[in-house]
Amino acid sequence: MKTILLVLALAIPVFGSAQGSAQQELAGISTLRSQERPEAEPASVTIEAPLDRGAAYNRAISRITMGDAEGALTDLDRILELDPTNSRGLLSRAKAYAMLGESDAAKADLEIIRMLNTIGPEAESALHQLGELVIQDADMYEAERNYDRLVQIAPKDALAFCNLGITKASHTNGYDALSDLDTSIALDPTIAKAHLHRAIILLRHGRNDEACAAMLQAREMGDPTVDQLLFLHCQ
């Protein structure tokens, strides 16, 4: 019996020592692993400052004025991402697109404005720009339609009547166009091209004396191109 107890007594410290050694070994491995694996750094979060739309719009207008259409588009795109129906932004972006020769993109923005605004300054500006773009495309019929819509919502817009008359005269006998040009001159007699195109129509119909008077008016309003016409028809 004593022999058995002695054996047990000897065995217990050996078992305890082995267990403690194992625990220390595991702890050491854990420490090594933690040293080998660096702690993850907290994710870096970039918070973009809210867009100051007023400042961005003014900067875009300044860039358009300086001829930097691409720079203006950067600002205007950001404005319109936040507010897709911003009419001022759409008008300005259409102008920037037109400066870059992207006529279709400009027209798309202007058509959105027309759908959003049937009357008012934005609608009028959109129709003016659309008219200019389609004239550049040599589509005088579509230009006439745009200017015709424009004079209906802006009956005191002298330039609209002038451009309506010019587009009509390009594909008609000119009598309707003459009426529109007369209206333009009555509203604003300082538009030189209204006098010039009135003179051209009058010449077409053999009314040379009236045509010469209209040419003189055009020259007085600052159009030097009429000098050759005056020389040819008004000696």
Side-chain angles (χ1 to χ4, degrees):
M1 183 67 177
K2 288 180 180 180
T3 301
I4 295 169
L5 290 172
L6 180 59
V7 171
L8 289 171
L10 291 170
I12 289 170
V14 173
F15 179 80
S17 175
Q19 186 180 34
S21 177
Q23 289 174 344
Q24 289 174 1
E25 188 176 348
L26 287 170
I29 293 169
S30 177
T31 301
L32 285 171
R33 285 178 177 171
S34 66
Q35 290 173 351
E36 290 172 0
R37 185 178 66 248
E39 291 184 8
E41 295 183 4
S44 175
V45 178
T46 302
I47 300 175
E48 190 174 347
L51 177 67
D52 184 336
R53 297 184 201 181
Y57 178 77
N58 290 335
R59 186 167 56 245
I61 296 302
S62 177
R63 285 173 164 173
I64 287 172
T65 303
M66 294 186 295
D68 181 12
E70 290 185 355
L73 283 176
T74 300
D75 287 316
L76 294 165
D77 284 343
R78 291 186 67 199
I79 293 170
L80 292 164
E81 281 175 10
L82 297 172
D83 184 5
T85 60
N86 186 307
S87 291
R88 288 198 314 164
L90 288 165
L91 278 170
S92 298
R93 190 169 71 175
K95 186 174 290 186
Y97 277 138
M99 289 170 65
L100 293 170
E102 298 183 28
S103 178
D104 289 341
K107 290 175 190 174
D109 277 352
L110 295 170
E111 288 295 349
I112 292 171
I113 297 168
R114 285 212 317 112
M115 289 187 288
L116 294 170
N117 306 274
T118 54
I119 59 172
E122 289 85 3
E124 293 168 24
S125 294
L127 286 167
H128 265 298
Q129 286 194 49
L130 278 168
E132 292 169 9
L133 287 171
V134 293
I135 284 175
Q136 291 172 16
D137 294 339
D139 188 349
M140 303 305 280
Y141 290 95
E142 182 60 25
E144 181 186 340
R145 282 190 286 272
N146 282 302
Y147 288 123
D148 191 52
R149 293 188 197 108
L150 181 52
V151 298
Q152 290 177 37
I153 64 172
K156 293 186 179 181
D157 188 329
L159 185 58
F161 275 103
C162 176
N163 289 334
L164 177 59
I166 292 170
T167 55
K168 280 183 180 178
S170 69
H171 59 88
T172 68
N173 63 17
Y175 281 115
D176 285 346
L178 200 58
S179 174
D180 293 319
L181 292 167
D182 286 342
T183 301
S184 174
I185 291 166
L187 290 167
D188 182 359
T190 67
I191 300 176
K193 67 178 180 177
H195 295 285
L196 172 60
H197 284 273
R198 184 172 181 274
I200 292 169
I201 294 169
L202 291 167
L203 281 174
R204 190 188 301 173
H205 292 282
R207 296 162 63 178
N208 286 33
D209 288 345
E210 294 172 81
C212 291
M215 288 180 216
L216 290 171
Q217 287 291 317
R219 188 171 65 178
E220 187 177 330
M221 294 304 127
D223 186 349
T225 65
V226 300
D227 287 345
Q228 186 175 3
L229 287 173
L230 282 165
F231 177 77
L232 291 172
H233 300 282
C234 305
Q235 294 298 318

